[in-house]
Amino acid sequence: MSARSKARKRALDMLYAADLRGVPAIEVLDQEAVRARTQPEREASWAYGREIVLGVIERSGEIDETIASHARGWTLERMPATDRAILRIAVWEILFNDEVPDSVAIAEAVESATVLSTDDSAGFINGVLGAVAASR
């Protein structure tokens, strides 16, 4: 698994934890920063994971609006928490990180959904992200 893939997983864990606990993502990020300082072997995934979470926090309104406008028939509240976190990461990468090709952001998101979410999530996430990428 590449360092960026590990970082996406780390960001997913943080966003998911914040969502489930009902706390601001910055609080979970701060806790993870303390953990990162004591585990230097995980440093490669920390920098980009932190960048993702900060980007999602900074652009949360735009990201959630984009997801909602492309997720036909689904509200954010109705989606599984895992899917919300996966979509937020991928939409941030598609819209706000020019270093990541859209196809890579989508493929990584679909892979995460395949492994971590429901049987229908990968197809749903692929459709939403494909529509987001096409509308840029």
Coordinates of all heavy atoms in Angstrom, one line a residue, residues 21-62:
R21 N -18.6 10.0 16.8 CA -18.6 10.5 18.1 C -19.3 11.9 18.2 O -19.5 12.4 19.3 CB -17.1 10.7 18.6 CG -16.5 9.3 18.8 CD -15.0 9.3 19.2 NE -14.5 10.5 19.8 CZ -13.2 11.0 19.7 NH1 -12.4 10.3 19.0 NH2 -12.9 12.0 20.4
G22 N -19.6 12.5 17.1 CA -20.3 13.8 17.1 C -19.4 14.9 17.6 O -19.9 15.8 18.2
V23 N -18.1 14.8 17.3 CA -17.2 15.8 17.7 C -16.6 16.5 16.5 O -16.6 15.9 15.4 CB -16.1 15.3 18.6 CG1 -16.7 14.7 19.9 CG2 -15.2 14.3 17.9
P24 N -16.1 17.7 16.6 CA -15.4 18.3 15.5 C -14.2 17.5 15.0 O -13.4 17.0 15.8 CB -15.0 19.7 16.0 CG -15.8 19.9 17.2 CD -16.1 18.6 17.8
A25 N -14.0 17.4 13.7 CA -12.9 16.7 13.2 C -11.6 17.2 13.6 O -10.6 16.5 13.8 CB -13.0 16.7 11.6
I26 N -11.5 18.5 13.9 CA -10.2 19.1 14.4 C -9.8 18.5 15.7 O -8.6 18.3 16.0 CB -10.3 20.7 14.4 CG1 -8.9 21.3 14.6 CG2 -11.2 21.1 15.5 CD1 -8.0 21.1 13.4
E27 N -10.8 18.1 16.5 CA -10.5 17.5 17.8 C -9.8 16.1 17.6 O -8.9 15.8 18.3 CB -11.8 17.4 18.6 CG -11.6 16.8 20.0 CD -13.0 16.8 20.7 OE1 -13.7 17.8 20.8 OE2 -13.3 15.7 21.3
V28 N -10.4 15.4 16.7 CA -9.8 14.1 16.4 C -8.4 14.2 15.8 O -7.5 13.5 16.1 CB -10.7 13.2 15.5 CG1 -10.1 11.9 15.1 CG2 -12.1 13.0 16.2
L29 N -8.3 15.2 14.9 CA -7.0 15.5 14.3 C -6.0 15.9 15.3 O -4.8 15.4 15.3 CB -7.1 16.6 13.3 CG -5.9 17.0 12.5 CD1 -5.5 15.9 11.5 CD2 -6.1 18.3 11.7
D30 N -6.3 16.7 16.3 CA -5.4 17.0 17.4 C -5.0 15.8 18.2 O -3.8 15.7 18.5 CB -6.0 18.1 18.3 CG -6.2 19.4 17.6 OD1 -5.5 19.7 16.6 OD2 -6.9 20.3 18.2
Q31 N -5.9 14.9 18.4 CA -5.6 13.7 19.2 C -4.6 12.8 18.4 O -3.7 12.2 18.9 CB -6.8 12.9 19.5 CG -7.7 13.6 20.5 CD -9.1 13.0 20.6 OE1 -9.5 12.1 19.8 NE2 -9.9 13.5 21.5
E32 N -4.9 12.8 17.1 CA -4.0 12.0 16.2 C -2.6 12.6 16.1 O -1.6 11.9 15.9 CB -4.7 11.8 14.8 CG -3.9 10.9 13.9 CD -4.0 9.4 14.3 OE1 -4.7 9.0 15.1 OE2 -3.2 8.7 13.7
A33 N -2.5 13.9 16.2 CA -1.2 14.6 16.1 C -0.4 14.1 17.3 O 0.9 13.9 17.1 CB -1.4 16.1 16.1
V34 N -1.0 14.0 18.4 CA -0.2 13.6 19.6 C 0.3 12.1 19.4 O 1.4 11.8 19.7 CB -1.1 13.6 20.9 CG1 -0.5 12.9 22.1 CG2 -1.5 15.1 21.2
R35 N -0.6 11.3 18.9 CA -0.3 9.9 18.6 C 0.8 9.8 17.5 O 1.8 9.0 17.6 CB -1.5 9.2 18.1 CG -1.3 7.7 17.9 CD -2.7 7.1 17.6 NE -2.4 5.8 16.9 CZ -3.3 5.2 16.2 NH1 -4.5 5.8 15.9 NH2 -3.0 4.1 15.6
A36 N 0.8 10.7 16.5 CA 1.8 10.7 15.5 C 3.2 11.0 16.0 O 4.2 10.4 15.5 CB 1.4 11.7 14.4
R37 N 3.2 11.9 17.0 CA 4.5 12.2 17.6 C 5.2 11.0 18.3 O 6.4 11.0 18.4 CB 4.4 13.4 18.5 CG 4.2 14.7 17.8 CD 4.4 15.9 18.7 NE 3.4 16.0 19.7 CZ 2.2 16.7 19.5 NH1 1.9 17.2 18.4 NH2 1.3 16.7 20.5
T38 N 4.4 10.1 18.8 CA 4.9 9.0 19.5 C 5.1 7.8 18.7 O 5.6 6.8 19.1 CB 4.0 8.6 20.7 OG1 2.7 8.2 20.2 CG2 3.8 9.8 21.7
Q39 N 4.7 7.8 17.4 CA 4.9 6.7 16.5 C 5.5 7.2 15.2 O 4.9 7.3 14.1 CB 3.5 6.1 16.2 CG 2.8 5.5 17.4 CD 1.4 5.0 17.1 OE1 0.9 5.1 16.0 NE2 0.9 4.3 18.1
P40 N 6.8 7.4 15.2 CA 7.5 8.0 14.0 C 7.5 7.0 12.8 O 7.6 7.5 11.7 CB 8.9 8.2 14.5 CG 9.1 7.4 15.8 CD 7.7 7.3 16.4
E41 N 7.2 5.7 13.0 CA 7.1 4.8 11.9 C 5.9 5.1 11.0 O 5.9 4.6 9.9 CB 7.1 3.3 12.4 CG 5.9 2.9 13.2 CD 5.8 3.3 14.6 OE1 6.7 4.0 15.1 OE2 4.9 2.9 15.3
R42 N 5.0 5.8 11.6 CA 3.8 6.1 10.8 C 3.8 7.5 10.2 O 2.9 8.0 9.7 CB 2.5 6.0 11.7 CG 2.3 4.6 12.2 CD 1.2 4.4 13.1 NE -0.1 4.6 12.3 CZ -1.2 5.0 12.8 NH1 -1.3 5.2 14.1 NH2 -2.3 5.2 12.0
E43 N 5.0 8.2 10.3 CA 5.1 9.5 9.8 C 4.8 9.7 8.3 O 4.2 10.7 7.9 CB 6.5 10.0 10.1 CG 6.7 11.5 9.8 CD 8.1 12.1 10.2 OE1 8.8 11.4 10.9 OE2 8.4 13.1 9.7
A44 N 5.1 8.7 7.5 CA 4.9 8.8 6.1 C 3.4 9.1 5.8 O 3.0 9.8 4.8 CB 5.4 7.6 5.3
S45 N 2.5 8.5 6.5 CA 1.1 8.6 6.3 C 0.5 9.8 7.0 O -0.6 10.3 6.7 CB 0.3 7.4 6.7 OG 0.4 7.2 8.1
W46 N 1.2 10.4 7.9 CA 0.7 11.5 8.7 C 0.5 12.8 8.0 O -0.5 13.4 8.0 CB 1.5 11.7 10.0 CG 1.2 13.0 10.7 CD1 2.0 14.1 10.9 CD2 -0.1 13.3 11.3 NE1 1.3 15.0 11.6 CE2 0.0 14.6 11.8 CE3 -1.3 12.7 11.4 CZ2 -1.0 15.3 12.5 CZ3 -2.3 13.3 12.0 CH2 -2.2 14.6 12.6
A47 N 1.5 13.2 7.2 CA 1.5 14.5 6.6 C 0.3 14.7 5.6 O -0.4 15.6 5.7 CB 2.8 14.8 5.9
Y48 N 0.2 13.7 4.7 CA -0.9 13.8 3.7 C -2.3 13.5 4.4 O -3.3 14.2 4.1 CB -0.7 12.9 2.5 CG -1.7 13.1 1.4 CD1 -1.8 14.4 0.9 CD2 -2.5 12.1 1.0 CE1 -2.8 14.6 -0.1 CE2 -3.5 12.3 0.0 CZ -3.6 13.6 -0.6 OH -4.5 13.8 -1.6
G49 N -2.3 12.6 5.4 CA -3.5 12.4 6.1 C -4.0 13.7 6.8 O -5.2 14.0 6.8
R50 N -3.1 14.4 7.4 CA -3.4 15.7 8.1 C -3.9 16.7 7.0 O -4.9 17.4 7.2 CB -2.2 16.2 8.8 CG -2.3 17.5 9.5 CD -1.0 17.9 10.2 NE -1.2 19.2 10.9 CZ -1.0 20.4 10.3 NH1 -0.6 20.4 9.1 NH2 -1.2 21.5 11.0
E51 N -3.2 16.8 5.9 CA -3.6 17.7 4.8 C -5.0 17.4 4.3 O -5.8 18.3 4.1 CB -2.6 17.6 3.6 CG -2.9 18.5 2.5 CD -2.0 18.4 1.3 OE1 -0.9 17.7 1.4 OE2 -2.3 18.9 0.3
I52 N -5.4 16.2 4.2 CA -6.7 15.8 3.8 C -7.7 16.3 4.8 O -8.7 16.9 4.4 CB -6.8 14.3 3.6 CG1 -6.0 13.8 2.4 CG2 -8.3 13.9 3.4 CD1 -5.9 12.3 2.3
V53 N -7.5 15.9 6.0 CA -8.5 16.3 7.1 C -8.6 17.8 7.2 O -9.8 18.3 7.3 CB -8.1 15.6 8.4 CG1 -9.1 16.1 9.5 CG2 -8.2 14.1 8.3
L54 N -7.5 18.5 7.2 CA -7.6 20.0 7.2 C -8.3 20.5 6.0 O -9.1 21.5 6.1 CB -6.2 20.6 7.4 CG -5.5 20.4 8.7 CD1 -4.1 20.9 8.6 CD2 -6.3 21.2 9.8
G55 N -8.1 20.0 4.9 CA -8.8 20.4 3.6 C -10.3 20.1 3.7 O -11.1 21.0 3.3
V56 N -10.6 19.0 4.2 CA -12.1 18.6 4.4 C -12.7 19.6 5.4 O -13.8 20.1 5.1 CB -12.3 17.2 4.8 CG1 -13.7 16.9 5.2 CG2 -11.9 16.2 3.6
I57 N -12.0 19.9 6.5 CA -12.6 20.8 7.5 C -12.8 22.2 6.8 O -13.8 22.8 6.9 CB -11.7 20.9 8.7 CG1 -11.7 19.6 9.5 CG2 -12.0 22.1 9.6 CD1 -10.6 19.5 10.5
E58 N -11.7 22.7 6.2 CA -11.7 24.0 5.6 C -12.8 24.2 4.5 O -13.4 25.2 4.4 CB -10.4 24.3 5.0 CG -10.3 25.7 4.3 CD -8.9 25.9 3.7 OE1 -7.9 25.5 4.3 OE2 -8.9 26.5 2.6
R59 N -13.1 23.1 3.7 CA -14.0 23.2 2.6 C -15.3 22.4 2.9 O -15.9 22.0 1.9 CB -13.3 22.7 1.3 CG -12.0 23.4 1.0 CD -12.3 24.8 0.5 NE -11.1 25.3 -0.2 CZ -11.1 26.1 -1.2 NH1 -12.2 26.4 -1.8 NH2 -10.0 26.5 -1.7
S60 N -15.6 22.1 4.1 CA -16.7 21.2 4.4 C -18.0 21.6 3.8 O -18.7 20.8 3.3 CB -16.8 21.0 5.9 OG -17.2 22.2 6.5
G61 N -18.3 22.9 3.8 CA -19.6 23.3 3.2 C -19.7 23.1 1.7 O -20.7 22.5 1.2
E62 N -18.6 23.4 1.0 CA -18.6 23.2 -0.4 C -18.6 21.7 -0.7 O -19.2 21.2 -1.7 CB -17.3 23.8 -1.0 CG -17.3 25.3 -1.0 CD -15.9 25.8 -1.3 OE1 -15.6 26.0 -2.5 OE2 -15.1 26.0 -0.3

